[in-house]
Amino acid sequence: MRKPEISMIWVVLLIIIVGLIPALTGNISLRETVFLMLLYIALASSLNIILGYTGYVSFGHIVFYGIGGYTAFVLIDSFGTNIILAMIAGGIVAAVIAYSLGQAILKLRGAYFAIATIGINEAVKALVENLEQIGGAEGIFLNINVYKAYGGAENALWLAYYLMLILTVSVIVVSWYVKNSKFGLGLMAIREDEDAAIVAGINTKSYKCLAYALSAFFPGMVGAVFFFKNGNIEPVNAFNLTQSIEMIFMVMLGGFGTVAGPFIGAIVYERVRGVLLMSEMFKNLHMAISGVLLLLIILFMPRGIVGYLRDKITKIRRFVE
């Protein structure tokens, strides 16, 4: 295991600095913008653990975001659990389910695995929509009195913001350590040639399941924080397949298999998405435009922005990993 290098440190420091600006200025509008950006970075970086390091494209990864959100909501709404404990529980439940599912679906490869993840997301969404005990299709709404335990709704919003900041920094750090560990080397061996990895003595099933569980743990906690902040959760938003595709786009745009890639991809995508949504002409076409951009990236920058920069400017390689 290598010591943390500048390639990871600058990303963490930049996230912390940007994250503290809304708190220091008290700018509510900026807080909401940065919150969304942090959410995208956390989701993209967590997906990168299974997609970037292992090479398994999970099109339905948003299912763990929804599972974590619903787990936390039930605990908060029914048992009055503190958001921090509920958030951790949401991450654990998502990770356990991912590990269990991985035992079966990670036997599949390529398009078969991708299709299976879509099916899982849609199946869970349909199940939740028909469970009246957790709100059914209408979802769950938190009583405003829940926020009194946090000093009121405004304080709760700031708490959610700080939790998202902590989660984003945590997933970046974990992503770096995974990549530079023996475990990470095993994952990348699977990505390059799974059959050769098996011959080399790597327990590919165990490695893949652990990576899948770890990549689900953080979205589970992110979902818990996001829906706590919103005050309600619905199946249509918790298991939104479009958001899952956006996660893949961010990873591919920045550079899959890198630490800085999902970070850069998430920031660029959030800014582009914001501009498109503000345009009368393009606000309903942002996903179509994103699809075209993804096609261009695959054709001309298959390793994303980070890979392109590392190839063109050798001096920045130690700064961007």
Side-chain angles (χ1 to χ4, degrees):
M1 173 72 72
R2 291 189 292 162
K3 293 181 180 179
E5 293 182 353
I6 195 168
S7 58
M8 183 266 282
I9 294 173
W10 75 261
V11 175
V12 170
L13 286 177
L14 187 57
I15 291 172
I16 293 173
I17 291 169
V18 173
L20 289 177
I21 292 175
L24 296 174
T25 62
N27 190 322
I28 304 301
S29 176
L30 182 59
R31 181 190 69 190
E32 297 306 303
T33 299
V34 176
F35 180 88
L36 186 60
M37 191 178 293
L38 292 172
L39 182 145
Y40 281 149
I41 294 170
L43 289 179
S45 295
S46 59
L47 175 63
N48 189 49
I49 295 173
I50 187 70
L51 190 162
Y53 298 161
T54 314
Y56 277 71
V57 184
S58 177
F59 271 93
H61 214 66
I62 201 67
V63 68
F64 304 116
Y65 173 82
I67 288 171
Y70 264 96
T71 300
F73 242 67
V74 169
L75 291 173
I76 294 169
D77 186 55
S78 301
F79 304 100
T81 307
N82 183 277
I83 177 56
I84 297 176
L85 294 177
M87 174 189 74
I88 295 171
I92 292 173
V93 170
V96 169
I97 291 175
Y99 187 86
S100 301
L101 289 172
Q103 299 291 324
I105 66 171
L106 285 169
K107 295 176 182 178
L108 305 172
R109 299 187 189 182
Y112 298 104
F113 172 77
I115 292 170
T117 62
I118 295 174
I120 289 170
N121 182 73
E122 295 306 299
V124 173
K125 179 182 176 182
L127 175 64
V128 172
E129 286 177 335
N130 287 281
L131 284 176
E132 295 301 326
Q133 297 88 338
I134 53 174
E138 295 182 358
I140 307 172
F141 290 80
L142 285 182
N143 190 305
I144 191 66
N145 292 325
V146 167
Y147 298 109
K148 289 182 179 179
Y150 307 95
E154 183 60 27
N155 286 341
L157 289 175
W158 279 109
L159 173 60
Y161 177 80
Y162 290 128
L163 288 175
M164 189 63 71
L165 177 59
I166 293 170
L167 284 177
T168 304
V169 170
S170 298
V171 72
I172 292 291
V173 173
V174 169
S175 177
W176 189 91
Y177 273 103
V178 167
K179 182 179 180 181
N180 293 281
S181 66
K182 182 180 178 182
F183 175 58
L185 290 175
L187 296 181
M188 286 182 276
I190 293 170
R191 181 188 68 194
E192 298 304 319
D193 190 331
E194 187 166 346
D195 293 325
I198 293 172
V199 172
I202 296 173
N203 187 341
T204 58
K205 180 180 179 181
S206 177
Y207 272 53
K208 289 186 295 183
C209 287
L210 287 173
Y212 197 42
L214 184 59
S215 71
F217 177 66
F218 288 103
M221 292 195 291
V222 168
V225 173
F226 177 79
F227 291 111
F228 169 78
K229 175 180 176 293
N230 273 18
N232 72 290
I233 186 170
E234 302 170 90
V236 67
N237 294 323
F239 304 100
N240 187 347
L241 198 58
T242 298
Q243 198 168 0
S244 201
I245 296 171
E246 288 177 327
M247 291 163 63
I248 295 173
F249 177 80
M250 288 183 279
V251 174
M252 297 300 294
L253 173 63
F256 73 94
T258 66
V259 176
F263 164 74
I264 294 172
I267 291 177
V268 173
Y269 177 76
E270 194 278 332
R271 290 290 81 205
V272 171
R273 179 178 180 272
V275 171
L276 292 176
L277 289 177
M278 292 298 290
S279 169
E280 285 295 326
M281 183 181 297
F282 299 112
K283 65 180 181 180
N284 295 321
L285 297 172
H286 75 279
M287 282 305 298
I289 294 171
S290 297
V292 173
L293 289 175
L294 181 59
L295 177 61
L296 294 174
I297 291 165
I298 293 172
L299 289 174
F300 300 106
M301 286 197 307
R303 295 177 60 197
I305 295 172
V306 169
Y308 180 82
L309 292 175
R310 284 172 59 86
D311 289 341
K312 296 295 182 181
I313 312 172
T314 56
K315 290 182 179 181
I316 71 166
R317 289 183 178 177
R318 69 182 296 261
F319 299 97
V320 183
E321 180 181 349

